[in-house]
């Protein structure tokens, strides 16, 4: 059984193919025992050593002075009764105090993976592929209760954790902290890896050694944000891409979050993550409960690469849903950088016609098709077609595009409203705001209050009406500002700090309704590019626009960093014009295509402006992508060279049967009289003989991995090469 309970010691042992996770009820306290490589069996007393510390670590159990919550490794710690570290939860009781102590009461082990009401979550497809442990805790004095949920899958070295906190007392309490997990590791000899950046520079890889105190990442922006992704990893001493112990922590949530590691006086490390406690509280009336988002904890003893591939497969197959989970994604052209707001039906049709001649499969009409939107200062919220630009409407335009053999897609930004809009003039109270305070604008827009049912209904009806009005098969769902003046006109004063989380619950409800009603539409999420690239959004939309920065060389770091936790099938990657509109760089068209093919491939430029030579290169790119996109989207991904560590970047894809591989290698700046080098591949079968496509050579898998291939001599900057290998 993947989950075992040993009644005599109170030990819970969760097992996956290569991992064990163990904790025990120690005098009622859920105490963490072990997390690492799989153990067949072990005694808790050998793994969890306890000694009496000085009086500055108080003892809650007088008869056993080896127990102090200040030193005990715990599973879901509170604060106030001798643990001075960051707690997983905090509650203010009716008498104003905040001291609680959740102790073990009972547990249940059941088949399958339960869904979380109103929240995105990893799921099972068969009850026998997963098992879930529910541990019930209670503070007998206050009546506060908690259920800790742990799920393990038969195929993944992961533990999925969440908590439900309930008020079984007679009076209301105020929940001020409700993290999804906490876990205490026995030492601090780790590097912390985080994915941080900004708009147009998302998910850069940063590493730092742990030191005493708190090392944290967070978002206070009302979204997971461009700045810090809701993920971090701990790399044990000596861990690399391919070797050593790595622990990953990923939050399935799209709002403000906090996560980090606290190193205490004894150099143990407490890792935690969940909804950001900053400016958060939740009133729990008697009988009510609060469900935290879930977190996915992954262990690898084979380095960062294996951790990433676990996340990739788990998120691709047991988080993403719907018809496009397994289907290859269409090659698209988006008109944004080709036209911005300046277009009409004839210009759109001309781009679609040019795309048809190049083999492109989908045209996406971006911003500017609705209201009177000739710039970004008006019309958000007024989801009616601009008759000046499109006098015959979307249906006519879609049919004109489809007449050239392309499907038709559309951009929306449904969560926003322009002050210059009919919607805002009719419903000024529908936005997030605080009475008497200014309404700060971002990109000249305000945020609709999705905590309100009437706002949710309006968005569902408005978007659904457009999707029913024309043959639309793709939606780009954008969100272009972060929250300020966070307040709701419908919530009472003692619930105002619930607004941001209620917004997320409202957004998830809207997405569930719309994506369920239109199951054959491919939805792509976007937030100024990668400002909400998180597992929560992937549950509703299987791909995300990776970054508004479409420069190929910038994308080396952005896509590489994103791949640390997210599957390639989730990344939108397009070829754009040069000089690039974000950084002004001139990059060869071949290089732009080679880098963009490592994602959901498309173009974001004016196809009608291509030269004959450029058309031939694009035809080559499109043909190659159609040939390899199944491998790219659903093969195993291996990182070979990091753009954060040198002048070269390389990665590769290997089919599940190891019979096919695709390698992308990019050299950023040329070097005069450079040394010769070799690129060692990964993930192949050493016994296979592979045809090196384009050369006619037959090469052993062992040679490709252990000796490698000779790197091409480079001419010019921003040079790329693609290698393909197919087993004979």
């Amino acid at each position: 059984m993947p989950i075992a309970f040993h009644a005599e010691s109170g030990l819970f042992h969760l097992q996956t193919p290569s991992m064990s996770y163990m904790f025990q009820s120690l005098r009622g306290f859920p105490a963490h025992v072990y997390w690492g490589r799989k153990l067949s069996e072990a005694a808790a007393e050998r793994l969890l050593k306890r000694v009496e510390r000085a009086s500055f670590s108080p003892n809650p159990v007088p008869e056993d002075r080896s127990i102090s919550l200040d030193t005990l490794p715990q599973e879901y710690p509170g604060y106030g009764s001798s643990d001075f570290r960051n707690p997983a939860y905090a509650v203010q009781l009716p008498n104003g105090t905040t001291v609680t102590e959740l102790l073990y009461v009972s547990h249940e082990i059941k088949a399958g993976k339960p869904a979380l009401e109103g929240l995105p979550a990893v799921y099972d497809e068969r009850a026998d592929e997963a098992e879930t442990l529910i541990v019930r805790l209670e503070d007998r004095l206050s009546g506060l209760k908690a259920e800790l949920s742990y799920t393990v899958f038969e195929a993944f070295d992961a533990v999925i954790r969440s908590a439900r906190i309930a008020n079984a007392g007679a009076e209301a309490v105020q929940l001020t902290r409700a993290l999804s997990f906490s876990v205490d590791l026995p030492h601090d000899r780790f590097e912390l890896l985080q994915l941080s950046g900004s708009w147009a520079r998302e998910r850069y890889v940063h590493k730092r050694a742990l030191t005493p105190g708190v090392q944290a990442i967070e978002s206070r922006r009302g979204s997971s944000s461009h700045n810090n992704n809701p993920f971090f990893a701990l790399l044990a001493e000596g861990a690399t891409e391919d070797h050593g112990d790595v622990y990953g922590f990923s939050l399935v949530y799209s709002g403000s979050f906090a996560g980090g590691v606290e190193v205490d006086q004894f150099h143990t490390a407490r890792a935690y993550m969940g909804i950001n406690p900053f400016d958060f509280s939740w009133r729990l009336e008697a009988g009510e409960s609060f469900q935290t988002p879930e977190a996915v904890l992954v262990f690898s003893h084979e380095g960062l690469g294996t951790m990433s591939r676990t996340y990739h497969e788990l998120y691709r197959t047991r988080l993403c849903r719907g018809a496009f989970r397994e289907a290859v994604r269409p090659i698209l052209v988006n008109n944004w950088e080709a036209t911005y707001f300046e277009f009409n039906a004839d210009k759109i049709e001309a781009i679609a016609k040019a795309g048809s001649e190049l083999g492109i499969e989908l045209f996406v009409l971006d911003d500017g098709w609705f209201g009177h939107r000739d710039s970004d200062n008006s019309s958000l919220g007024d989801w009616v077609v601009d008759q000046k630009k499109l006098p015959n409407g979307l249906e006519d335009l879609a049919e004109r595009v489809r007449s050239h053999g392309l499907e038709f897609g559309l951009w929306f930004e449904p969560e926003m409203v322009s002050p210059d809009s009919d919607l805002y003039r009719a419903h000024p109270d529908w936005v997030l705001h605080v009475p008497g305070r200014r309404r700060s604008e971002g990109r000249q827009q305000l945020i609709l209050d999705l905590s309100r049912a009437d706002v949710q209904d309006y968005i569902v009806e408005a978007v659904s009406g457009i999707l029913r009005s024309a043959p639309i098969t793709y939606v780009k769902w954008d969100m272009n500002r972060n929250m300020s003046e966070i307040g709701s006109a419908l919530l009472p004063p003692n619930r105002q700090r619930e607004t941001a989380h209620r917004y997320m619950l409202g957004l998830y409800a809207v997405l569930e309704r719309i994506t369920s009603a239109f199951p054959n539409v491919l939805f792509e999420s976007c937030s100024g590019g990668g400002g909400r690239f998180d597992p929560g959004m992937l549950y509703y939309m299987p791909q995300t626009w990776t970054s508004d920065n479409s420069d190929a060389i910038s994308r080396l770091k952005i896509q590489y960093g994103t791949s640390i936790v997210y599957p390639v099938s989730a990344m939108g990657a397009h070829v754009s014009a040069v000089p690039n509109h974000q950084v002004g760089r001139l990059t060869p068209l071949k290089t732009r295509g080679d880098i963009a093919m490592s994602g959901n491939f498309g173009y974001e430029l004016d196809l009608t402006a291509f030269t004959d030579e450029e058309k031939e290169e694009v035809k080559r790119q499109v043909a190659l992508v159609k040939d390899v996109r199944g491998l790219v989207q659903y093969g195993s991904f291996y990182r070979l060279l990091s753009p954060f560590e040198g002048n070269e970047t390389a990665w590769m894809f290997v089919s599940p049967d190891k019979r096919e591989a695709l390698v992308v290698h990019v050299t950023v700046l040329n070097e005069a009289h450079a040394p010769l080098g070799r690129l060692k591949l990964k993930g192949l079968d050493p016994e296979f003989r592979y045809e090196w496509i384009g050369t006619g050579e037959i090469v052993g898998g062992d040679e490709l991995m252990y000796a490698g291939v000779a790197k091409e001599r480079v001419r010019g900057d921003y040079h790329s090469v693609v290698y393909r290998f197919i087993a004979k």
Side-chain angles (χ1 to χ4, degrees), residues 42-349:
E45 60 271 16
R46 290 198 298 269
L47 296 176
L48 179 58
K49 288 295 184 181
R50 310 193 312 274
V51 297
E52 181 182 351
R53 295 290 186 177
S55 60
F56 288 98
S57 294
N59 307 110
V61 183
E63 62 272 23
D64 187 349
R65 298 186 59 164
S66 70
I67 295 178
S68 171
L69 299 185
D70 192 32
T71 60
L72 186 71
Q74 296 173 71
E75 286 292 297
Y76 205 69
Y79 176 82
S81 62
S82 80
D83 190 344
F84 301 99
R85 296 167 289 177
N86 270 316
Y89 74 96
V91 176
Q92 186 174 30
L93 301 175
N95 64 5
T97 64
T98 57
V99 178
T100 57
E101 199 166 77
L102 290 172
L103 299 178
Y104 170 82
V105 175
S106 65
H107 72 274
E108 176 185 3
I109 300 172
K110 53 188 178 181
K113 166 67 169 63
L116 298 186
E117 183 178 356
L119 286 166
V122 172
Y123 59 88
D124 62 17
E125 291 196 332
R126 308 184 323 271
D128 63 351
E129 71 175 353
E131 200 164 63
T132 298
L133 167 67
I134 305 294
V135 178
R136 299 182 179 91
L137 311 175
E138 183 177 357
D139 178 56
R140 291 180 173 85
L141 180 62
S142 67
L144 189 73
K145 295 184 177 183
E147 290 185 349
L148 307 184
S149 175
Y150 301 77
T151 297
V152 289
F153 281 79
E154 63 178 3
F156 302 105
D157 289 322
V159 180
I160 294 90
R161 289 192 56 181
S162 66
R164 176 177 286 274
I165 300 173
N167 178 13
E171 299 180 69
V173 301
Q174 205 71 22
L175 185 62
T176 60
R177 186 179 182 95
L179 300 185
S180 297
F181 78 92
S182 179
V183 61
D184 289 336
L185 301 174
H187 64 83
D188 65 348
R189 297 184 300 278
F190 294 104
E191 272 192 312
L192 171 68
L193 182 152
Q194 65 191 72
L195 304 176
S196 301
S198 71
W199 174 80
R201 189 168 36 83
E202 298 91 342
R203 291 172 300 286
Y204 275 28
V205 176
H206 298 267
K207 296 180 184 179
R208 49 180 161 153
L210 294 185
T211 60
V214 176
Q215 291 102 114
I217 57 171
E218 67 175 337
S219 169
R220 301 177 181 179
R221 295 175 170 268
S223 73
S224 49
S225 85
H226 300 85
N227 306 74
N228 290 302
N229 198 259
F231 164 84
F232 66 92
L234 292 176
L235 284 64
E237 285 181 305
T240 65
E241 181 71 20
D242 302 303
H243 305 284
D245 289 352
V246 176
Y247 300 82
F249 308 90
S250 174
L251 186 66
V252 186
Y253 189 60
S254 309
S256 296
F257 74 93
V261 183
E262 181 175 8
V263 176
D264 72 358
Q265 59 189 320
F266 302 111
H267 292 277
T268 66
R270 171 169 289 178
Y272 59 88
M273 190 150 51
I275 295 172
N276 198 330
F278 178 83
D279 202 35
F280 164 85
S281 69
W282 195 274
R283 185 176 175 84
L284 283 179
E285 299 288 351
E288 291 184 342
S289 63
F290 181 87
Q291 174 64 57
T292 74
E294 70 181 21
V296 179
L297 285 59
V298 167
F299 171 76
S300 162
H301 66 270
E302 297 177 320
L304 196 62
T306 295
M307 181 212 72
S308 295
R309 286 184 289 278
T310 299
Y311 275 118
H312 294 172
E313 188 68 8
L314 178 60
Y315 282 173
R316 188 182 68 77
T317 66
R318 292 298 180 269
L319 180 68
C320 295
R321 303 177 296 164
F324 291 93
R325 188 186 80 174
E326 305 295 340
V328 293
R329 311 289 166 78
I331 299 172
L332 65 82
V333 58
N334 181 299
N335 71 298
W336 179 240
E337 291 190 13
T339 68
Y340 292 103
F341 294 102
E342 302 297 324
F343 62 84
N344 56 32
D346 290 340
K347 178 60 177 179
I348 297 304
E349 184 178 7

Side-chain angles (χ1 to χ4, degrees), residues 452-527:
R452 299 173 55 135
D454 51 359
V455 172
Q456 296 172 34
D457 290 343
Y458 172 78
I459 293 174
V460 171
E461 291 163 7
V463 172
S464 298
I466 292 293
L467 294 182
R468 286 192 293 264
S469 73
I472 297 165
T473 61
Y474 169 101
V475 165
K476 181 179 179 181
W477 183 293
D478 210 346
M479 189 278 286
N480 280 309
R481 66 154 294 184
N482 291 142
M483 293 181 184
S484 60
E485 294 87 42
I486 302 173
S488 174
L490 293 189
L491 291 176
N494 60 5
R495 290 191 178 272
Q496 284 297 320
R497 295 178 77 190
E498 301 176 9
T499 303
H501 182 58
R502 287 187 180 275
Y503 179 100
M504 294 314 308
L505 296 177
L507 172 62
Y508 292 149
V510 166
L511 297 181
E512 183 68 33
R513 290 167 66 184
I514 291 177
T515 58
S516 297
F518 299 94
N520 296 317
V521 173
L522 172 58
F523 287 86
E524 178 179 87
S525 67
C526 178
S527 176

Side-chain angles (χ1 to χ4, degrees), residues 548-622:
D548 277 350
N549 186 349
S550 56
D551 172 67
I553 302 306
S554 298
R555 278 298 189 102
L556 292 174
K557 289 184 175 179
I558 293 169
Q559 291 175 201
Y560 187 99
T562 304
S563 79
I564 297 292
V565 62
Y566 300 105
V568 168
S569 62
M571 299 187 214
H574 297 172
V575 175
S576 59
V578 293
N580 176 262
H581 291 197
Q582 290 78 48
V583 301
R585 198 182 338 257
L586 292 164
T587 310
L589 180 57
K590 178 183 183 300
T591 301
R592 284 177 272 156
D594 289 349
I595 294 170
M597 80 164 71
S598 296
N600 296 307
F601 185 77
Y603 293 86
E604 193 138 345
L605 39 66
D606 189 349
L607 301 179
T608 66
F610 276 145
T611 65
D612 288 342
E613 182 180 2
E614 288 171 329
K615 289 178 182 178
E616 291 306 309
E617 171 60 24
V618 169
K619 288 179 182 178
R620 184 199 67 80
Q621 291 176 4
V622 168

